[in-house]
Amino acid sequence: MERRISLKRRTYRWRARYSVVLILSTVLLQAFPALAAEPVGVAASDAPPEEDPLLSEARMLIRQRDFKRAVSLWRKAATKGSIEAKFRIGIAYRNGTGVPRDLAKSRYWLSKAIAGGNAEARFALAMMHLSGLGVPRDRDKALEELNTASLAGHEGAKEQLAKIGRSSSVAFASADSRVLANRGDPREA
């Protein structure tokens, strides 16, 4: 019984303190409206850009497993110029999620996202070139794309380049001139 009373007292004290803090913060914001306009140390230009509402809604639809509607929202966002939407459409076509699998359309949308500077799209296309998925297998093109994505800060590209560097194939790891001339599998050089 004694413990219940102390819990009630603690809860009451916590609520009272919270109420005091809430009232004080409201009074301060009314007295100094500049505090509400901009957080200390954060300039308006440093604030993250607002996300396109179409992308937010598409993300929610993906969580609900409604892939077809998500792809249609990405299409609308892509027509408005969203690079993220172009990347997502390319991945959807590659995986056949919400649309029939079509690797040519995947390559098309990923290329559009790459033109906009999306490093994830560059990494995805590099992996397609590396495996020969929907594009001719071209290890040189894959290395070039992986290197560019890595320079843009893509962690997966850095890991893949390190994996290639640790590869047992010296010709592939160093990309020597025989591989460049052959433009195929380094073990055939």
Side-chain angles (χ1 to χ4, degrees), residues 47-63 70 73-74 77-78 80-85 87-88 118 120:
E50 288 189 32
E51 186 175 288
D52 185 355
L54 291 172
L55 294 177
S56 299
E57 189 175 344
R59 187 172 291 115
M60 182 185 67
L61 290 171
I62 291 296
R63 287 187 201 119
L73 288 176
W74 287 332
K80 292 181 179 181
S82 172
I83 295 165
E84 175 74 14
F87 165 68
R88 297 287 173 198
N118 189 308
E120 287 186 57

Side-chain angles (χ1 to χ4, degrees), residues 34-51:
L35 292 175
E38 190 173 299
V40 177
V42 177
S45 61
D46 293 342
E50 288 189 32
E51 186 175 288

